[in-house]
Amino acid sequence: MFDRVQQRHVLRRNSLWVVSFVIVFLFVWWLPTPSTLSGVAQYPAIHTAMETLAIVMAMLVYGITWNTYRQELDGKLILLGCAMLSVGFIDFAHTLSFQGMPDFVTPSGAEKAINFWLAARFLATLGLLGMATLPHFSLVTSRSYYGLLVATLVIISLVYWLGLFHADRLPATFIDGQGLTQFKIRAEWLIAIVLLVTAVLFFRQARRAVSHDAANLFAATALSILSELCFTLYTEVTDVFNLLGHFYKVVAYLFIYLAVFVQTVRAPYQRLAETQARLVNEQEALQRQSAILSLFYELPFIGMAITSAQTKRWVLVNDYLCQMLGYPRAELIEKSWDELTHPEDLQADLSLFERLLNDEIDHYVMDKRFLHKDGTVIFTTINIRCVGQADGVIQQVVATVQDITARHQLEEEQRQTLRHLETIANASPALFWTAGLDKGCNWFNQRWLDFTGRTLQQEQGYGWSEGVHPDDFQRSLATYVDAFDAHQPFAMEYRLRRHDGEFRWLLDQGMPRCDADGEFIGYIGSCMDITEEKSTRDALNASEQRLRLALQAAKQGIYDLNVQTGEAIVSPEYASMLGYDPETFRETNAAWIERLHPDDLESVAQTYEHYIAGELPEYRVEFRQRTQAGQWKWILSSGSIVERSPDGRPLRMLGTHTDIDSRKETELALRYQMERLHRAEAHARLGSWELFVDNHQPGWWSAEMYQLLGVDPAGGVPTFDEYIGYLHPEDQPLILETLNQMANGIEPTPAPFRSNPERGPQCWFNPSVNCERDAEGRPIKFFGTLLDITAIKNAETALRKSEERLRTLINTIPDLIWLKDPDGIYLLCNQMFERLFGAKEADITGKTDYDFVDRRLADSFRENDLKAIKAGQPSINEEWLTFNEGGYHGYFETIKTPVMGSDGQLIGVLGISRDITVIIEAQESLRQLNASLEARVAERTNELQALNQSLESFVYSVSHDLKTPLRGVEGYSRLLQEDYDTQLDNEGRQFINNIREGIKRMNELIDDLLAYSRMERRKLETNPINLNALLKSVLAELTNEFDARGVKIDVTLPPLTVHADAEGLTMVLRNLLGNAIKFSAHSGQPQIEISGSQQGEDVTLWIKDNGIGFDMKYHERIFEIFQRLHRLEDYPGTGIGLALVKKAMDRMNGKVWAESKLGEYAKFYIMLKS
Amino acid sequence: MTTNSSNLYPPILLVEDNPVDVDLTLRAFARRKLANPVLVARDGEEALEWIPRWAAGETKPAVILLDLNMPRVDGLTVLREFKNYPDLQRIPIVILTTSKEDRDINTAYDLGANSYIVKPVDFDKFMDVAQHIELYWCVFNELPR
């Protein structure tokens, strides 16, 4: 196989070659004169040279393949070699037949040469195609090998024979003067195509890895193709294409040679070189490994040796072993290991060695002693293993030898020490034992064994426990195991059976045991017989226990105080009373004061000092101490000085502490209860008292008693007489009587009584009294309570008064009032109601309607009652009722209301009936009056309408009929004035002027009158109107007049909106402004001010002029029709304008008024709704 | 009464019962040199009598000036009749009256009056009105054909 990478590399290189040759070819083709070499005389020589080269190449290929043939070689190579052999021979013939060459059997010529040429090309192509397509095969036998050569020679002979002697049988390939024939060219093309296919195959094979050198073969094939192309192009056998073709052919053969050479010669050499290199590498690796191994072998702390299995002689030893045994290496090798072995160990070693040789074991390890050259004993551990078991017989044995002499000596020393210790232990009176890591005891001293009378073997492990008393066994085992697991020392007591069968108490103390490195290795323990001590101690304990129990039960602690130092010895109860651990508690005076409640410090200190000073017979004091938990505990401390110094100073004080916490608690609780009682009594205003029966001596009064009666508590409980004096004189006898009755066994009902009004404000009390009697029933002591019920009494009185007032009220009301319960039974009624039933209230209550009126009426009453109850609200009905008393018959409005109590429960139905007979009658007459009024109004309206219509027609005719003649007069007077002016004298003209003035005035009158009537009759349309905009438009209409008369207008009107008829309001403004202009005409500077305001809904606008004004006494007249204040010639006008304004304002529900000062101003107001 | 009945211009028909008004109207027209002849009907009945004559082929008026308040047949009846008559309903009718009543104005327009003019009392103004009527209805206004 060819290396893929290398093949690709070669392929790349060859491809470049091929491409460059193609370029050369194309270049030559492109040259304008393809036949530059034509006619060169030396061309046959050149040709011969080229061909000779080619023949040599072909022969070399054959030679190499034939001679390097090996079985493993590809058979195709031989095939190629043979093909090249034939090609060489035929090319030889071709060379000799070339034009211009001497005759070769037959005369030379182009065609002859071409025939041989084609044959050679054909065979060469076949050889390459075979390489590309045939599978790998081997020529196994030499027969086929030589057969191939013979076949080749036959083919060569055949070609020669045909080419030399039977050229005429071959198709024409070249015709002189014409050049190449079509056959020749096609044959070359065919060969070229086959070669092309071959080249592609080689190219692809070269990209994979195949068994032949495809890359070089690809180049050979590609150049052959180029060569063929050249030979299809030349026209003369001497031209440049011919030459190039030959050149390419030589190069192609060179590549074939390369391919063959590479595959058959170079490749095997390369492989050989690679293998050698690998071998060298492996050898080096082995050498390195061996060096490392030898380092191990010469390790300076272990002896190593290889010995012969048969002779037991040392074969190989390392330095360390030599040193160990004290022999030089050369000397040691002369010896066998058995002769250096300690005689005592030899037998064991030999027997193991025997087993090793017999293949029973593959190795063994043992401690054994060697003998040093100087005779000393060497302690070793050896490890023996056999090697080199050729044919199952053990040849050599490998041994490692470790020197353990030092360790062995140490162990020996330890053993000695132990022996000494054991001796000591056995001599000791104590019982000793040791235990290993497994907790089992592994050693007991002789004392132990003597004590139990058992052997070491019996006691070892847990054997010892058999002697432990059954009652102690579990406890002591648990103590032992727990301590053991924690590696803690322990001490325990248990009973162990002595050899005589008696159980003796032992104190057993154990300690963990460690080796030199601090590693835990077990326990060591010692036991003492403590039977005697224990019985004494138990007796003491029992006695102490009893005392302690007694003190504990009394909750008493004992202290023994050194007064001088302040230190105290206390009993455990003293400590536990305060919550401390008695074991660790230490008492001193300072600590005691520190625990003392701050409030108690002073009293305790005083008591103590008084006692010390001898002022008190005994030291007895109560105080609070803080317990460890931080709570306060009451302690009663009593004590006495038991020792004094000669000068009388106290030295020692003995005493007890008693826990009085619960007593104190009870005390406090009692006090608290009393306080609560007092508070409750004060709240309820209830006092309690006691009184002795026989002598009326006062017993006890609660605090509230003093309060109730206003007695000063400082004076103590008052005597009975004093007490009576605090009560109302009228009630006193009753009280005495009640007590007497009580004393005599009669159960009285105590009635409320009053306080003495002379002693303070009047109070009411509700008493309650009881009597305590002795066993014979004799009264001993009264005890009672007094409840202040003044408030209730006052409320009662107020209620009664209120009720009386209400009753009077109800009876005074002229209505019938009553109340019935839900079942219809009367609860109350007023005097008016009594008249209905003709009975008194007392007779009515408790009865129903059915007892007083007939069944139908009663049913209807009841029905209305139930209706009101069901509705849950007042129901009203009207009815005719006839009084039983007096027989009055009237119409009543009855309201029935369900009445609920404060708890929401229905109490009954309240009824109120009112006599509305008069109202009904009044309503009736009113209705009749209304009806007649309406009729009258309708009548009047009709009349008015008729009147209005006649007025309308009147106005209509006025408008038409009055104006028509007027127009005639006007027209003709005008005509007269114009047409007959010259015929009239001045007076005549004046007459006509006067006529025309009259006409004008009459026309104005008619117009104003029409406007007035129209304002009266026309239908108004009330809309919201922007007053400012309207005013602006009216002012605009009058602009000319203002300008003409030089009137100054001053408008300061805020934005206002009014509801009015637009036309009517326009007319109003026009008229008022017209008047203002007219009446201010004669003032120096006519000025009109317009302004307005809004107040609520009322919008007011005023127009003020600085004209002549008017006397306010004419204020009403100016708004009347045809009323004038001035002469016509001064101020023309019809006297209708302001009447029209007033009419319009009235119709728009507005107002108009004026104020003025004669000769100064007139100010007109109008007011409308916004 | 007819004036220049063979005139090239279509006539104006004045329906007016008041002789003073007729006279003044004619004078006003005369002063303004009116080219159209003016026909006068002295009451409603007389006005209605023109209907058959126009049907017979006499030149229809350019405009009819109609007073409202007249004896026998009043102006509104005449108006209604003329406007009901298919051949005549296109002739413009101008109400020329003294009445300024809303009722009259509205009714006249409802019945198809083309204009409503209140006769002014002032003769100068009256002449202005006459001139404007002539100018508007006989010169500017295009009549239906």
Side-chain angles (χ1 to χ4, degrees):
Chain A
M1 272 300 174
F2 282 80
D3 181 54
R4 216 169 124 190
V5 180
Q6 201 185 349
Q7 275 284 294
R8 288 201 174 187
H9 173 71
V10 175
L11 182 68
R12 255 195 309 280
R13 189 195 68 200
N14 290 357
S15 299
L16 280 174
W17 276 115
V18 169
V19 169
S20 47
F21 282 124
V22 168
I23 290 165
V24 170
F25 171 76
L26 291 173
F27 176 74
V28 171
W29 198 7
W30 172 75
L31 282 176
T33 48
S35 55
T36 42
L37 294 175
S38 72
V40 174
Q42 287 79 16
Y43 187 75
I46 297 168
H47 177 258
T48 307
M50 300 286 275
E51 284 294 355
T52 308
L53 266 175
I55 291 161
V56 170
M57 288 295 164
M59 286 307 179
L60 275 173
V61 170
Y62 165 72
I64 287 169
T65 54
W66 189 256
N67 290 316
T68 59
Y69 172 73
R70 297 183 302 279
Q71 271 197 343
E72 73 270 19
L73 211 60
D74 194 346
K76 284 184 294 189
L77 278 174
I78 304 296
L79 209 60
L80 183 63
C82 288
M84 291 310 285
L85 176 67
S86 62
V87 168
F89 271 106
I90 295 168
D91 272 350
F92 179 69
H94 159 73
T95 310
L96 293 180
S97 309
F98 198 72
Q99 206 168 12
M101 291 294 286
D103 287 356
F104 173 56
V105 186
T106 53
S108 301
E111 189 171 23
K112 183 180 168 190
I114 287 168
N115 288 345
F116 282 115
W117 166 265
L118 276 179
R121 293 282 63 72
F122 182 67
L123 286 167
T125 304
L126 275 182
L128 288 170
L129 185 65
M131 275 308 281
T133 53
L134 289 176
H136 183 283
F137 66 92
S138 292
L139 292 170
V140 180
T141 63
S142 54
R143 201 167 61 188
S144 57
Y145 177 56
Y146 286 107
L148 206 56
L149 180 60
V150 171
T152 309
L153 292 174
V154 167
I155 289 169
I156 294 167
S157 306
L158 193 67
V159 172
Y160 268 70
W161 179 69
L162 276 171
L164 292 176
F165 308 111
H166 298 286
D168 51 330
R169 291 191 188 175
L170 299 168
T173 53
F174 187 83
I175 298 166
D176 279 338
Q178 285 179 6
L180 298 172
T181 65
Q182 282 299 309
F183 170 77
K184 148 77 171 150
I185 292 171
R186 280 177 190 158
E188 295 279 17
W189 273 113
L190 177 70
I191 289 165
I193 287 163
V194 171
L195 285 170
L196 188 65
V197 172
T198 313
V200 170
L201 285 172
F202 278 135
F203 186 81
R204 289 175 59 177
Q205 283 167 0
R207 293 174 64 79
R208 304 194 305 270
V210 287
S211 58
H212 49 262
D213 188 356
N216 280 326
L217 289 172
F218 159 72
T221 317
L223 282 162
S224 299
I225 294 167
L226 284 177
S227 166
E228 286 312 306
L229 289 176
C230 288
F231 288 110
T232 59
L233 292 171
Y234 75 96
T235 46
E236 287 183 44
V237 291
T238 58
D239 72 8
V240 72
F241 277 119
N242 193 298
L243 181 66
L244 195 62
H246 279 95
F247 172 68
Y248 283 164
K249 189 176 83 173
V250 172
V251 179
Y253 286 3
L254 182 68
F255 274 112
I256 293 173
Y257 166 76
L258 268 178
V260 170
F261 184 81
V262 165
Q263 190 174 353
T264 57
V265 181
R266 193 185 289 166
Y269 274 113
Q270 268 179 358
R271 278 200 294 276
L272 189 65
E274 282 166 15
T275 312
Q276 269 182 340
R278 206 164 56 236
L279 278 172
V280 168
N281 281 344
E282 281 171 8
Q283 202 175 358
E284 281 173 359
L286 275 171
Q287 277 169 355
R288 276 198 301 277
Q289 219 170 350
S290 146
I292 292 164
L293 279 173
S294 70
L295 276 177
F296 275 110
Y297 179 69
E298 288 295 350
L299 282 175
F301 49 81
I302 192 155
M304 295 190 91
I306 295 173
T307 59
S308 163
Q310 281 73 38
T311 63
K312 300 185 180 63
R313 290 272 286 273
W314 307 102
V315 177
L316 201 65
V317 292
N318 70 349
D319 286 348
Y320 188 73
L321 187 64
C322 297
Q323 285 170 18
M324 199 194 294
L325 298 178
Y327 292 93
R329 188 185 296 254
E331 206 174 322
L332 188 61
I333 288 173
E334 294 299 311
K335 303 215 174 269
S336 66
W337 55 262
D338 51 346
E339 57 184 304
L340 291 181
T341 303
H342 194 282
E344 287 175 13
D345 298 336
L346 186 59
Q347 195 52 48
D349 197 358
L350 282 176
S351 69
L352 282 168
F353 191 70
E354 200 62 33
R355 290 177 63 197
L356 186 74
L357 292 187
N358 292 342
D359 209 10
E360 290 170 31
I361 50 174
D362 66 343
H363 81 289
Y364 67 89
V365 178
M366 68 173 286
D367 288 352
K368 82 168 206 185
R369 285 163 288 182
F370 279 102
L371 292 172
H372 194 266
K373 191 182 178 184
D374 60 11
T376 54
V377 176
I378 311 294
F379 291 88
T380 66
T381 301
I382 58 165
N383 188 327
I384 308 298
R385 198 172 287 274
C386 49
V387 293
Q389 289 172 286
D391 305 329
V393 179
I394 293 166
Q395 297 289 340
Q396 288 183 332
V397 173
V398 176
T400 60
V401 185
Q402 202 173 351
D403 185 349
I404 58 164
T405 312
R407 198 181 81 194
H408 194 265
Q409 277 172 355
L410 198 67
E411 279 175 6
E412 186 56 31
E413 279 167 20
Q414 278 178 346
R415 260 197 297 280
Q416 284 293 333
T417 312
L418 272 177
R419 260 199 296 281
H420 289 147
L421 282 173
E422 201 172 343
T423 315
I424 295 165
N426 284 336
S428 162
L431 284 58
F432 282 108
W433 54 268
T434 62
L437 283 170
D438 60 352
K439 296 194 184 86
C441 290
N442 49 15
W443 176 80
F444 295 90
N445 72 346
Q446 196 56 44
R447 283 283 171 190
W448 177 287
L449 299 177
D450 292 347
F451 182 85
T452 57
R454 285 154 64 95
T455 63
L456 183 61
Q457 283 73 28
Q458 282 173 318
E459 294 292 76
Q460 267 175 339
Y462 287 89
W464 56 274
S465 64
E466 290 165 15
V468 176
H469 194 284
D471 293 349
D472 300 338
F473 178 72
Q474 284 300 335
R475 173 177 57 82
S476 30
L477 192 66
T479 308
Y480 173 63
V481 169
D482 289 350
F484 201 104
D485 289 339
H487 297 185
Q488 289 296 319
F490 67 85
M492 59 182 177
E493 291 174 7
Y494 57 86
R495 280 161 287 181
L496 190 69
R497 192 166 44 222
R498 207 163 54 182
H499 56 86
D500 56 3
E502 187 189 340
F503 280 104
R504 302 290 291 178
W505 277 100
L506 294 188
L507 169 64
D508 191 345
Q509 289 173 303
M511 289 261 300
R513 203 150 58 94
C514 295
D515 66 4
D517 300 330
E519 278 291 309
F520 174 74
I521 52 168
Y523 263 69
I524 181 162
S526 68
C527 304
M528 297 284 288
D529 186 340
I530 54 160
T531 311
E532 275 74 29
E533 290 93 323
K534 190 167 169 61
S535 58
T536 318
R537 204 173 67 202
D538 281 355
L540 275 171
N541 266 348
S543 145
E544 193 190 316
Q545 193 70 22
R546 278 193 297 277
L547 270 172
R548 183 174 291 151
L549 283 172
L551 285 171
Q552 266 178 354
K555 291 197 175 177
Q556 281 201 328
I558 300 164
Y559 64 86
D560 178 353
L561 173 69
N562 183 331
V563 182
Q564 298 301 312
T565 63
E567 290 197 0
I569 299 162
V570 298
S571 70
E573 286 71 29
Y574 184 100
S576 48
M577 198 182 287
L578 297 172
Y580 289 94
D581 181 5
E583 295 279 322
T584 54
F585 185 76
R586 295 288 172 269
E587 180 65 315
T588 64
N589 209 20
W592 174 80
I593 288 170
E594 203 272 321
R595 287 195 310 272
L596 192 64
H597 195 288
D599 296 352
D600 300 338
L601 184 59
E602 200 182 325
S603 67
V604 171
Q606 270 180 8
T607 311
Y608 179 72
E609 276 163 21
H610 288 312
Y611 172 66
I612 295 293
E615 291 165 15
L616 286 175
E618 60 171 351
Y619 171 75
R620 189 179 173 84
V621 67
E622 287 175 10
F623 51 78
R624 280 162 286 182
Q625 284 265 292
R626 189 171 42 241
T627 65
Q628 199 189 22
Q631 287 155 339
W632 294 111
K633 179 162 267 192
W634 278 100
I635 305 281
L636 167 65
S637 179
S638 63
S640 55
I641 305 291
V642 294
E643 209 178 313
R644 286 181 188 265
S645 67
D647 55 355
R649 278 185 300 122
L651 293 178
R652 192 170 168 213
M653 184 166 168
L654 280 182
T656 58
H657 270 190
T658 312
D659 182 349
I660 55 163
D661 218 22
S662 55
R663 200 193 81 201
K664 274 285 174 187
E665 256 176 46
T666 316
E667 259 178 43
L668 282 172
L670 197 64
R671 194 177 302 154
Y672 178 61
Q673 293 280 9
M674 281 305 286
E675 269 173 31
R676 272 206 303 207
L677 183 66
H678 283 152
R679 273 213 301 277
E681 285 196 336
H683 188 73
R685 295 195 60 73
L686 178 87
S688 45
W689 51 266
E690 285 177 354
L691 182 73
F692 290 98
V693 176
D694 47 1
N695 54 5
H696 278 191
Q697 280 298 307
W700 174 79
W701 271 28
S702 77
E704 193 57 24
M705 277 298 284
Y706 297 97
Q707 292 288 328
L708 289 179
L709 293 172
V711 180
D712 183 6
V717 182
T719 62
F720 182 69
D721 290 340
E722 280 171 344
Y723 164 64
I724 289 295
Y726 280 107
L727 304 179
H728 200 286
E730 288 174 17
D731 297 338
Q732 285 172 4
L734 183 69
I735 293 159
L736 291 170
E737 175 60 23
T738 306
L739 287 178
N740 275 336
Q741 283 178 347
M742 180 62 90
N744 295 331
I746 304 162
E747 198 67 39
T749 338
F753 53 81
R754 288 159 289 173
S755 66
N756 195 338
E758 289 164 15
R759 300 283 183 100
Q762 172 98 66
C763 291
W764 277 93
F765 299 113
N766 199 8
S768 129
V769 66
N770 214 327
C771 190
E772 193 180 304
R773 291 166 196 281
D774 63 11
E776 282 91 46
R778 282 197 300 269
I780 298 166
K781 199 162 70 175
F782 297 117
F783 53 88
T785 59
L786 219 55
L787 181 65
D788 183 351
I789 55 164
T790 315
I792 298 169
K793 274 285 175 189
N794 288 347
E796 252 179 47
T797 314
L799 201 65
R800 194 169 298 129
K801 279 183 185 163
S802 154
E803 198 188 331
E804 273 165 24
R805 277 199 298 273
L806 273 174
R807 169 64 61 181
T808 315
L809 198 66
I810 287 173
N811 282 335
T812 319
I813 289 172
D815 295 345
L816 280 62
I817 296 174
W818 69 95
L819 181 66
K820 287 189 258 186
D821 76 0
D823 297 325
I825 297 162
Y826 279 90
L827 298 173
L828 63 87
C829 65
N830 69 347
Q831 287 173 357
M832 200 64 189
F833 189 82
E834 288 173 348
R835 289 177 58 202
L836 177 67
F837 281 179
K840 286 288 148 196
E841 187 191 0
D843 299 329
I844 295 168
T845 51
K847 292 181 181 158
T848 66
D849 293 316
Y850 296 96
D851 298 322
F852 298 98
V853 297
D854 67 71
R855 191 172 180 80
R856 259 180 57 203
L857 190 57
D859 277 343
S860 88
F861 287 167
R862 181 70 185 146
E863 191 186 322
N864 287 328
D865 289 349
L866 292 172
K867 200 158 84 188
I869 289 170
K870 198 180 172 193
Q873 59 184 31
S875 83
I876 302 175
N877 65 291
E878 291 175 4
E879 59 206 337
W880 286 98
L881 294 174
T882 307
F883 282 20
N884 287 351
E885 183 190 316
Y888 171 77
H889 185 67
Y891 194 69
F892 285 80
E893 183 194 58
T894 302
I895 302 171
K896 292 193 166 169
T897 311
V899 181
M900 304 291 177
S902 57
D903 55 352
Q905 202 67 35
L906 183 72
I907 292 172
V909 180
L910 175 71
I912 301 172
S913 272
R914 175 166 293 174
D915 186 352
I916 55 168
T917 319
V918 180
I919 298 170
I920 289 293
E921 281 168 2
Q923 275 177 352
E924 183 57 30
S925 64
L926 194 65
R927 194 165 55 239
Q928 284 168 6
L929 192 66
N930 270 349
S932 73
L933 266 176
E934 272 170 29
R936 259 187 290 174
V937 166
E939 199 179 317
R940 290 284 162 83
T941 309
N942 285 340
E943 283 170 20
L944 276 170
Q945 274 174 347
L947 207 62
N948 231 15
Q949 270 175 352
S950 69
L951 185 67
E952 258 183 66
S953 66
F954 166 74
V955 169
Y956 187 70
S957 58
V958 163
S959 74
H960 194 259
D961 297 347
L962 284 186
K963 279 202 158 186
T964 305
L966 193 63
R967 191 161 50 246
V969 179
E970 150 69 27
Y972 288 113
S973 68
R974 180 80 188 159
L975 288 170
L976 196 62
Q977 203 175 32
E978 288 183 2
D979 296 351
Y980 298 91
D981 189 50
T982 51
Q983 290 163 325
L984 286 173
D985 61 5
N986 279 345
E987 201 173 14
R989 285 185 203 112
Q990 184 59 43
F991 290 166
I992 291 171
N993 273 341
N994 289 351
I995 290 167
R996 289 184 61 75
E997 276 301 313
I999 291 160
K1000 192 180 165 200
R1001 192 170 138 61
M1002 184 157 181
N1003 191 32
E1004 283 172 356
L1005 255 173
I1006 291 168
D1007 279 348
D1008 281 358
L1009 209 52
L1010 275 171
Y1012 184 81
S1013 97
R1014 197 158 165 273
M1015 183 48 65
E1016 209 166 32
R1017 286 178 297 121
R1018 73 179 277 270
K1019 191 165 168 256
L1020 295 184
E1021 285 176 18
T1022 306
N1023 291 312
I1025 292 168
N1026 182 335
L1027 193 55
N1028 307 65
L1030 187 74
L1031 178 69
K1032 206 173 164 188
S1033 75
V1034 175
L1035 288 172
E1037 276 176 30
L1038 298 168
T1039 308
N1040 290 337
E1041 279 200 70
F1042 292 138
D1043 293 347
R1045 300 187 188 221
V1047 180
K1048 197 179 161 204
I1049 303 289
D1050 186 8
V1051 182
T1052 53
L1053 190 65
L1056 291 171
T1057 305
V1058 292
H1059 269 80
D1061 174 68
E1063 195 187 325
L1065 187 56
T1066 307
M1067 194 275 297
V1068 167
L1069 292 175
R1070 203 182 276 146
N1071 262 294
L1072 291 177
L1073 284 166
N1075 280 354
I1077 293 167
K1078 190 163 76 184
F1079 292 110
S1080 63
H1082 297 294
S1083 59
Q1085 169 58 57
Q1087 188 171 349
I1088 298 174
E1089 291 173 47
I1090 304 168
S1091 186
S1093 64
Q1094 178 162 6
Q1095 279 198 325
E1097 280 201 329
D1098 296 333
V1099 176
T1100 310
L1101 178 140
W1102 51 260
I1103 297 171
K1104 183 182 174 188
D1105 64 66
N1106 59 348
I1108 53 164
F1110 59 89
D1111 193 332
M1112 279 301 277
K1113 67 183 175 189
Y1114 299 124
H1115 178 268
E1116 295 305 317
R1117 267 184 68 185
I1118 59 172
F1119 290 108
E1120 286 171 19
I1121 196 162
F1122 300 132
Q1123 292 299 326
R1124 291 172 52 82
L1125 297 181
H1126 310 284
R1127 283 202 301 273
L1128 192 64
E1129 47 270 46
D1130 297 337
Y1131 296 99
T1134 57
I1136 293 173
L1138 284 177
L1140 190 56
V1141 168
K1142 180 152 173 55
K1143 172 63 69 185
M1145 291 310 294
D1146 285 350
R1147 287 220 57 198
M1148 291 190 291
N1149 296 323
K1151 281 184 199 163
V1152 60
W1153 70 96
E1155 62 183 49
S1156 176
K1157 196 163 180 191
L1158 193 61
E1160 287 186 16
Y1161 72 92
K1163 190 173 180 184
F1164 283 85
Y1165 295 87
I1166 58 169
M1167 191 167 91
L1168 284 161
K1169 297 290 175 193
S1170 68
Chain B
M1 199 201 282
T2 50
T3 314
N4 297 340
S5 58
S6 60
N7 200 301
L8 277 170
Y9 298 98
I12 294 171
L13 177 62
L14 175 67
V15 186
E16 173 63 72
D17 63 323
N18 189 335
V20 171
D21 274 1
V22 172
D23 184 42
L24 286 174
T25 308
L26 291 176
R27 279 176 190 278
F29 283 148
R31 283 201 169 201
R32 298 297 173 194
K33 309 277 189 301
L34 177 64
N36 303 58
V38 180
L39 308 174
V40 177
R42 291 299 307 275
D43 58 28
E45 244 177 37
E46 214 177 297
L48 293 175
E49 280 166 15
W50 276 96
I51 294 172
R53 291 173 66 178
W54 287 327
E58 281 196 43
T59 312
K60 285 171 195 150
V63 62
I64 297 168
L65 305 178
L66 183 62
D67 190 15
L68 289 185
N69 199 0
M70 292 182 295
R72 298 195 293 210
V73 179
D74 70 359
L76 290 173
T77 312
V78 174
L79 177 63
R80 192 181 292 117
E81 284 296 314
F82 279 3
K83 287 296 176 188
N84 277 345
Y85 216 84
D87 284 350
L88 307 179
Q89 63 190 6
R90 284 179 184 159
I91 298 173
I93 297 175
V94 174
I95 309 297
L96 193 64
T97 179
T98 323
S99 169
K100 213 179 166 179
E101 284 299 306
D102 293 349
R103 192 181 55 191
D104 288 340
I105 296 167
N106 293 340
T107 314
Y109 278 115
D110 289 348
L111 291 174
N114 297 71
S115 197
Y116 191 105
I117 295 167
V118 178
K119 281 187 225 165
V121 172
D122 189 309
F123 185 67
D124 288 343
K125 286 181 185 164
F126 190 74
M127 280 195 296
D128 279 351
V129 167
Q131 188 193 12
H132 282 124
I133 286 170
E134 186 260 330
L135 202 61
Y136 182 85
W137 293 108
C138 303
V139 179
F140 295 142
N141 192 32
E142 282 295 330
L143 292 172
R145 292 184 179 90

